[in-house]
Amino acid sequence: MNPNSADNLVIAGKSYSSRLIIGSGKYKDFQQNLAALENCNAEIITVAIRRVNLGQNADEPSLLEVISPQKYTILPNTAGCYTADDAVRTCRMARELLDGHKLVKLEVLGDQKTLYPNVTETLLAAETLVNDDFEVMVYTSDDPLIAKRLEQIGCVAVMPLGAPIGSGLGIRNPHNIRLILENAEVPIIVDAGVGTASDASIAMELGCDGVLMNTAIAEAKDPVLMASAMKKAVESGREAFLAGRMPRRLYASASSPVDGVFF
Amino acid sequence: MQIIVNDRQHEVDARSNLQQLLQELGITGGRIAVELNGEIVPRSGFKRCLLHGGDSIEIVQAIGGG
């Protein structure tokens, strides 16, 4: 492999050097969010679409004035949507407010307690959005059949959960993630469930193309430091994957030769 | 006449347009999107877009989220 060739993440024809995508939720304030973003070198950041607060002070800065769409790729999500119709409507509003920007994160939830994806509604929404010229990065379960179906519909990336959103439980079913990776011809990005750096490394060591996380950074005691940890975790996990790990063995395999012992 | 903006009742002059409403609400610059009765109104169409009694308007922005 040419050591000079960039191992970039390509999504919908656009190349990114960072394989870490972060969210903008749950931070203390915009400044902390921006500091974390800068510290982890992420290039893509998710945002939510919500009503303007009509009583609000017009002088207060808005998120996109602090985290600029000129500098970062903004990835609007459909958080809070429980139906395909709401998700599609949200994406259309997002596209309008971002001047025709087509890249979206589709998530259609099925249950408030677990925030587990409703995959049947997700399939419907994905089809409508792809037909309406969106570039869809889709949050889904770790079901390999659904993941492949979403790819076949035309999603530009498939994003299986590691564990429920905000749970920090890590990669609960690495075997399913591997099955998804085996069949995939689009980037597979673990989205949801990452809790700490090793979780992100594990996802990358499996062969994932990237990791998306929000709570793992925002709810760390020191989010800006955790952002740095996550950057390194994603990079090291990726290098370990590309390096090709040693085999696992049931028994020991000595690292020092037996020949020449003098006792 | 009465209209609904972001799920709240709002009083506007008859024959107002959407641009006037946004100015009244202090939402001028900034990245927003507007839906009138379920249809997105592009920014270029705000001035031409006349409001009628009973209209339902949604005005959204990007905020922090995962």
Side-chain angles (χ1 to χ4, degrees), chain A residues 78 82-85 87-88 106-109 117-131 136 138-141 143-155 158:
Chain A
T78 64
Y82 287 78
T83 65
D85 282 348
V88 169
L106 170 62
E107 52 185 294
V108 188
L109 308 177
N118 178 331
V119 297
T120 46
E121 286 293 293
T122 301
L123 289 163
L124 289 173
E127 193 135 27
T128 304
L129 290 167
V130 167
N131 288 338
V136 181
V138 58
Y139 166 70
T140 180
S141 69
D143 178 330
L145 299 182
I146 301 290
K148 190 63 184 176
R149 183 80 198 103
L150 287 163
E151 180 187 310
Q152 287 163 341
I153 283 171
C155 294
V158 172

Side-chain angles (χ1 to χ4, degrees), chain A residues 4 34 40-41 57 82 148-149 153 160 167 172 183 200 206 254:
Chain A
N4 293 322
L34 183 62
C40 72
N41 279 5
N57 185 348
Y82 287 78
K148 190 63 184 176
R149 183 80 198 103
I153 283 171
S167 69
R172 294 287 81 203
N183 290 329
L206 287 169

Side-chain angles (χ1 to χ4, degrees), chain B residues 25-60:
Chain B
L25 293 168
I27 305 166
T28 37
R31 292 178 177 275
I32 54 158
V34 181
E35 235 189 29
L36 169 62
N37 299 329
E39 300 280 328
I40 292 179
V41 183
R43 198 170 306 138
S44 55
F46 286 171
K47 201 166 176 182
R48 273 178 280 125
C49 181
L50 283 180
L51 304 177
H52 303 91
D55 276 346
S56 175
I57 291 164
E58 296 287 353
I59 308 171
V60 298

